[in-house]
């Protein structure tokens, strides 16, 4: 962190007392934002969609497919976190963002975050695909079946 601070890319904000000593908080500087923008490829927006957000293999495969087919436009995925992608979209650093964020109050994916970050701004939310996500476990572990029964969880054994 000291190297980033000495380079002028982050600055100290505050220290909060926590068990075991202070917890230090830093933020990126304008210089860091400038460097971030400088490394983005310079491609007309009509020809490329810079996509910042969660690591999404589907988008990566789509980008590869478009390149293979020599499409007149391309996707340039830049994996970060879902929230970082939405913030980059809000800042105009990309044209699209991939995300999979769940709101704990509504248990709804993505929409609450889009409403919060883009109030009164029309946005298109495209569901690219449905995905099943869960735990991959060794079925020989006995407590797994007990846990699945307790939670009434759908279990598939392959």
């Amino acid at each position: 962190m000291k190297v980033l601070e000495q380079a002028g890319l982050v600055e100290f904000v505050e220290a909060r007392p926590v068990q075991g000593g202070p917890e230090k908080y830093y933020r990126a500087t304008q210089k860091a934002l400038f460097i971030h923008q400088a490394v983005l490829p310079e491609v007309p927006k009509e020809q490329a969609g810079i996509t910042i957000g969660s690591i999404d293999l589907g988008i990566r495969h789509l980008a590869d497919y478009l390149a293979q087919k020599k499409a007149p436009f391309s996707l340039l995925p830049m994996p970060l976190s879902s929230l970082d992608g939405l913030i980059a979209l809000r800042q105009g650093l990309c044209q699209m963002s991939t995300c999979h964020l769940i709101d704990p109050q509504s248990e709804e994916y993505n929409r609450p975050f889009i409403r919060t970050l883009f109030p009164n701004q029309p946005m298109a939310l495209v569901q690219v695909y449905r995905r099943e996500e869960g735990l991959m476990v060794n079925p020989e572990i006995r407590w797994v079946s007990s846990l699945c029964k307790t939670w009434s969880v759908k279990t598939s054994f392959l």
Side-chain angles (χ1 to χ4, degrees), residues 57-75 77:
L57 293 178
I59 297 298
R60 177 75 258 161
H61 289 302
L62 180 58
D64 292 344
Y65 176 80
L66 292 172
Q68 181 185 38
K69 295 294 181 182
K70 300 191 184 334
F73 55 89
S74 61
L75 286 179

Side-chain angles (χ1 to χ4, degrees), residues 14-32:
E14 68 177 307
R16 297 180 189 165
V18 295
Q19 186 178 13
E23 189 171 82
K24 295 180 180 181
Y25 290 83
Y26 292 83
R27 69 173 160 234
T29 63
Q30 186 64 29
K31 185 176 178 182

Side-chain angles (χ1 to χ4, degrees), residues 33-88:
L33 178 61
F34 174 75
I35 290 171
H36 178 73
Q37 289 176 325
V39 299
L40 291 175
E42 206 170 313
V43 180
K45 290 181 181 181
E46 309 82 42
Q47 294 177 1
I50 297 174
T51 307
I52 299 176
S54 63
I55 298 172
D56 189 317
L57 293 178
I59 297 298
R60 177 75 258 161
H61 289 302
L62 180 58
D64 292 344
Y65 176 80
L66 292 172
Q68 181 185 38
K69 295 294 181 182
K70 300 191 184 334
F73 55 89
S74 61
L75 286 179
L76 304 170
M78 299 177 68
L80 289 174
S81 71
S82 293
L83 189 55
D84 285 336
L86 290 175
I87 291 168

Side-chain angles (χ1 to χ4, degrees), residues 88-136:
L89 182 62
R90 181 179 172 157
Q91 293 174 338
L93 299 176
C94 60
Q95 291 78 41
M96 294 176 273
S97 174
T98 54
C99 64
H100 58 277
L101 296 168
I102 188 162
D103 176 49
Q105 278 85 28
S106 66
E107 295 184 359
E108 184 180 21
Y109 277 91
N110 303 325
R111 290 178 194 277
F113 296 90
I114 293 168
R115 286 187 201 112
T116 300
L117 290 170
F118 302 94
N120 304 317
Q121 186 176 346
M123 298 296 292
L125 177 60
V126 179
Q127 184 177 355
V128 178
Y129 52 87
R130 292 184 162 262
R131 71 170 138 199
E132 186 175 313
E133 199 167 331
L135 298 172
M136 277 43 85

